[in-house]
Amino acid sequence: MDQRFIINGGRRLKGEVHISGAKNAVLKLMAAALLLDDACEIHNVPELADVYIMVEVLKSLGAKVDYDTKEKKIRIDASELTSHEACYELVSKMRASFTVLGALLGRCKEAKVALPGGCSIGERRIDFHIKGLEALGAQVKIEGGYVIAKAKKLVGTTVYLDRPSVGATENVMIAAVLAEGSTIISNAAQEPEIADLANFLNAIGADVNGAGTSEIVINGVKQKDLHPTAYTTIPDRIEAGTYIAAVIATKGKAVIRNIFPSHLSAVTSKLSDMGAHITILDPFSIEVSCGKSLNAVNIVTQPHPGFPTDLQSPFMSVLAVAEGLSVITESIYENRFRQIGELTRMGANVQQEASRAIVKGVKSLTGAQVRASDLRAGASLLVAALIAQGTTEITGLYHIDRGYEKVVEKLSGLGADIQRLNIPESDINAKINVDEIYLT
Ligand code: EPU
């Protein structure tokens, strides 16, 4: 049954919210667990649609997966893999499953993984992944919509990435764990999720150094050196940033718990420029508040430690009601402004000029019927709906459910008036496009 959110906006969010484990970290740890011919446990796993898809991918390869949603932990036993092929039906549902390429190649020395293809936010090429795996000694070809990679053995080398791609850094790092000798990834992505993956790999016996900087060194180890572990993943900085956006946009005051504040420094620096207040309460909590109108600011999305592209859309909703003119430049994806049309329907004044969005702050937004076109565009609509006067109906919720665990409960806990309702069979308009393929 398709669903929609009904949100009555205009309430100041207050209270506290507990942030879940990081989607974009956990999915990669799950893929990396394939390196181990034994079982391991991952803790702090959020209950999200994407995690369920990754469970299916791992099962399709022969891993035994036990997902305990109550305890938020997942046990993966990859001791007996039965396949090295990840099929299109699963990979096309979620691009992060492409990370099994590096793990299968490292473990089995062969892998056949469906090409994830482009997606609604951009072309999303995989040339750096392939170049990196080839540099390690794999023969890689693309045939029938699949990447087919084989190697007699993988040998460490220097892999320079033309840009610090998160996914390519992860695939090469995972594949290099069982390579002979040392691999250096130069111009590596520095996102906290990369450091989390390296910490997980080290916890199972790998030898990875420098993750979180632009140069990562992986000293190859033998399969017999890998061992079981129980590992707790990092908090989701993008979920945290989305709640921060919602709190300040509604001129509220809230404590954001279970975060690493240092992961959000680009965001908190912008918050200060906007006139919001941020107090670090303890190593895992901050308080954010905003009692008055926010100032307009310019934002340029960049690889970490720059402002994250995944928070560009929710912050556009905040700036839509800030005082003055803001310019948002999206430098990571070609097509990540899909929220603009819907925000405009809610009364925002945003003009797109190529990779820039010019946001002229308005006094307030008004509720409307809108549709989420991708995960973070959906987050942008949520924030806009919480600000807006009147009622907003959001459809396309499966996008939002990919990245925000228990979003209704968490927003209600902050005092929002939000409900999730089933869409009646007769409501044809709300159901249009529900079968579109989503991939972010
Ligand atoms: N790129 C290439 N060639 C490559 C790889 C990437 O040209 O071989 C380009 C892409 O087309 C894109 C840019 O480089 O324009 C950045 O891509 P990157 O590889 O860094 O991103 P990703 O690994 O595909 C992850 C997150 C995204 C997040 C980006 C950037 C996961 C599952 N996804 O994607 O998260 O936006 O890093 O931080 O980890 C989201 O959660 O909403 C989301 C899209």
Side-chain angles (χ1 to χ4, degrees), residues 22 24-25 28 161 163-170 173 187-199 210-216 234-235 237-238 260 262-264 266 301-311 331-333 336:
N24 288 346
K28 319 306 171 58
L161 299 177
R163 74 194 258 183
S165 153
V166 172
T169 303
E170 291 164 339
M173 182 160 74
N187 198 26
Q190 301 177 46
E191 272 66 6
E193 292 76 19
I194 302 280
D196 200 43
L197 175 59
N199 290 338
T213 74
S214 62
E215 186 169 289
I216 302 176
I234 54 171
R237 64 196 166 98
I238 305 302
F260 292 150
S262 62
H263 291 177
L264 284 156
T301 65
Q302 280 172 334
H304 194 78
F307 192 93
T309 170
D310 297 341
L311 286 173
S331 75
I332 308 292
Y333 294 113
R336 216 179 199 187

Side-chain angles (χ1 to χ4, degrees), residues 251-270:
K251 301 196 173 56
K253 179 175 181 175
V255 176
I256 316 289
R257 292 214 186 276
N258 185 38
I259 59 166
F260 292 150
S262 62
H263 291 177
L264 284 156
S265 44
V267 174
T268 45
S269 152
K270 281 293 159 199

Side-chain angles (χ1 to χ4, degrees), residues 94-115:
M94 186 192 60
R95 138 175 295 275
S97 49
F98 193 63
T99 320
V100 299
L101 177 65
L104 289 171
L105 185 65
R107 164 93 181 266
C108 314
K109 303 293 175 280
E110 59 181 330
K112 181 173 175 186
V113 179
L115 277 164

Side-chain angles (χ1 to χ4, degrees), residues 5-14 250 382 385-388 390-394 407-421:
F5 285 146
I6 303 292
I7 299 170
N8 293 308
R11 294 174 167 221
R12 290 179 186 221
L13 297 191
K14 285 185 182 149
T250 59
L382 265 178
L386 294 164
I387 306 169
T391 304
T392 297
E393 178 180 320
I394 306 179
V407 65
V408 172
E409 290 87 333
K410 290 188 186 188
L411 284 173
S412 302
L414 289 169
D417 181 351
I418 174 170
Q419 277 180 287
R420 182 192 288 264
L421 299 179

Side-chain angles (χ1 to χ4, degrees), residues 129-138 140 154-160:
H129 301 237
I130 293 180
K131 200 177 125 195
L133 298 177
E134 282 178 340
L136 290 175
V140 186
L154 296 174
V155 181
T157 185
T158 296
V159 174
Y160 170 77

